Amino acid sequence: EIILFLSYHYFMVIDALVPCYNEGPRVDGVLGVLQNSPLIHKIIFVDGGSTDDSLARAQKYTKVEILALGKRGGKGQDVKEGLKKISTSAVFLCDADLLRLTLRHVEKMVTLYEKNPKGLVVGLTQKSRYYFIHWLRANLLPLISGMRVVSVSDLKNVLAHPLSKDWGIEVYMNYYFGKKNKPITKILLDNVNDPPKPSKGHGWKSHLLEAYDVTQKYFLTYGKQLPLDFWESLKTDIFPAYKDETTYPTHSLDLDGTKINYALVGRGPALIFVHGWASNWEGWKP
């Protein structure tokens, strides 16, 4: 009995979050595994306006807590709402359309996360039996797999950014962990797959909108957010005073029809600092 007790408590126990939209034929294969896993405390099933029997199937499981949003708002919104129900320090994000998921897959992902709880674990479905294809997906192709184990605190930070809205949550999550120099561990979930999107009956319009949003998020994340973050880091390296988070009250006045913005800093006789073109008053902070 002592050995069994120690063996059971060797692993951490976390909540699972399963966003779903019209995945009725596949829901049992996912929830049944999570229901029977000793590593899953409870399952938050977030339904984003399904019109099939997804909700009815989810209600059969005792570990499942259902959150029915009533309309489709995108995966980012579903995860954000579901996160409010999570009671553990980490969360197992799981797609509702997986085929051939097993208890062993869940255990491998959770135990990998337990070894480094500051990082992110991503499970890759086996799209092909060729190792070269898996290597491409793990190292070069976009990492958009929805199977992830992540801390609640990191997930909150990810969801707080506008780029996590709609279907772009995985894109920004990858960027966030890279920016914070936090490790991303990728694992192949052998024999696990998901059906091609057109075969799921959601309609081509739905798939095209999702694909467009994910593509847009890639351009915005690496074409706009990355340069902005790079400049901020460069600015604080060149001008250490920018690291000072002190805020100053700002004012404005109208001087002969020209609006002037200024800040008052310090005490004593007035000394006016005037910045040059393409700058502002914050340029004087250093």
Side-chain angles (χ1 to χ4, degrees):
E1 290 178 355
I2 294 176
I3 293 175
L4 288 174
F5 177 83
L6 292 175
S7 174
Y8 178 79
H9 285 275
Y10 176 77
F11 301 105
M12 68 185 306
V13 179
I14 63 177
D15 289 344
L17 199 164
V18 182
C20 176
Y21 174 74
N22 283 356
E23 299 293 353
R26 294 160 289 275
V27 163
D28 288 315
V30 173
L31 296 184
V33 172
L34 297 177
Q35 168 84 17
N36 293 323
S37 173
L39 307 182
I40 301 299
H41 172 244
K42 69 178 178 181
I43 307 161
I44 308 301
F45 184 84
V46 185
D47 185 81
S50 293
T51 56
D52 64 358
D53 62 346
S54 295
L55 272 174
R57 289 175 180 267
Q59 290 170 346
K60 299 185 300 182
Y61 298 92
T62 56
K63 272 189 182 181
V64 170
E65 183 175 336
I66 294 177
L67 183 60
L69 300 183
K71 62 180 181 178
R72 197 176 190 199
K75 187 175 182 179
Q77 181 63 23
D78 294 350
V79 172
K80 190 172 186 177
E81 292 300 320
L83 189 60
K84 299 174 183 178
K85 303 288 185 178
I86 299 297
S87 58
T88 53
S89 61
V91 57
F92 185 94
L93 294 175
C94 184
D95 289 335
D97 63 348
L98 297 176
L99 305 174
R100 298 180 294 277
L101 181 70
T102 69
L103 293 172
R104 181 173 58 87
H105 295 128
V106 176
E107 179 182 320
K108 287 174 71 175
M109 291 188 64
V110 174
T111 52
L112 275 175
Y113 172 81
E114 189 175 21
K115 293 177 181 177
N116 193 349
K118 293 183 179 180
L120 167 69
V121 176
V122 181
L124 298 173
T125 56
Q126 191 167 3
K127 298 288 186 182
S128 171
R129 293 191 177 278
Y130 295 103
Y131 175 79
F132 177 68
I133 300 298
H134 168 60
W135 184 89
L136 283 176
R137 294 178 63 233
N139 296 279
L140 296 179
L141 297 179
L143 187 63
I144 57 175
S145 171
M147 293 285 290
R148 297 170 180 239
V149 184
V150 59
S151 73
V152 168
S153 59
D154 279 327
L155 185 54
K156 284 182 178 179
N157 290 335
V158 169
L159 291 168
H161 198 282
L163 287 174
S164 291
K165 291 182 178 180
D166 303 321
W167 290 273
I169 180 173
E170 289 90 3
V171 178
Y172 184 73
M173 189 184 301
N174 300 338
Y175 174 74
Y176 168 86
F177 275 84
K179 182 177 72 171
K180 298 292 184 181
N181 292 318
K182 295 188 174 190
I184 299 178
T185 303
K186 305 163 191 174
I187 177 176
L188 176 64
L189 303 177
D190 54 286
N191 207 35
V192 177
N193 209 335
D194 55 309
K197 292 187 180 297
S199 68
K200 296 198 293 185
H202 294 176
W204 277 104
K205 181 180 178 181
S206 174
H207 300 313
L208 290 174
L209 286 174
E210 182 176 340
Y212 171 77
D213 183 74
V214 172
T215 303
Q216 184 184 48
K217 291 300 192 302
Y218 266 101
F219 279 110
L220 290 174
T221 298
Y222 295 98
K224 182 178 179 181
Q225 191 62 47
L226 176 60
L228 287 174
D229 288 340
F230 174 75
W231 165 242
E232 286 299 318
S233 63
L234 187 64
K235 188 170 63 174
T236 55
D237 288 339
I238 297 174
F239 303 115
Y242 269 107
K243 295 179 181 178
D244 179 16
E245 296 298 327
T246 304
T247 58
Y248 303 104
T250 56
H251 311 270
S252 64
L253 58 84
D254 188 283
L255 185 62
D256 294 333
T258 299
K259 185 178 180 182
I260 304 289
N261 296 314
Y262 65 98
L264 292 175
V265 182
R267 296 175 297 174
L271 178 62
I272 301 178
F273 286 76
V274 182
H275 63 77
W277 183 62
S279 183
N280 57 33
W281 70 269
E282 290 184 330
W284 293 114
K285 286 179 66 177

